[in-house]
Amino acid sequence: MGALWIAHVTVTDADAYGKYAELAGPAIAKHGGEFIARGGRFVQLEGKERPRNVVAKFPDVDAAVACYHSPEYQEALSHARGASERELMVVETSE
């Protein structure tokens, strides 16, 4: 089964977060991830609103979790910490 990596983000330091984004894309692609939504229009119906929302599709939950724990993604994430407020989850799809 596939998996979706869903991030809700408020950027607090655009320069540092830009470095995260530059490094995160290749790390996600290396683990089979493909962006299907990246900061586009959204409508918040419930919960805390975050102005940036990103969804990436992975082959499965294990691939998404492996990506998160990979050295490449952790290097990217080091630039996001302190530069953003985030929630990130991986959800298994029914396909």
Side-chain angles (χ1 to χ4, degrees), residues 46-81:
E46 292 186 22
K48 182 174 176 80
E49 182 172 316
R50 299 275 187 202
R52 183 164 176 80
N53 299 282
V54 178
V55 180
K57 182 178 176 181
F58 280 83
D60 55 45
V61 170
D62 292 339
V65 172
C67 176
Y68 181 84
H69 292 293
S70 72
E72 299 89 358
Y73 187 76
Q74 288 298 307
E75 169 62 23
L77 192 56
S78 73
H79 297 281
R81 290 189 177 111

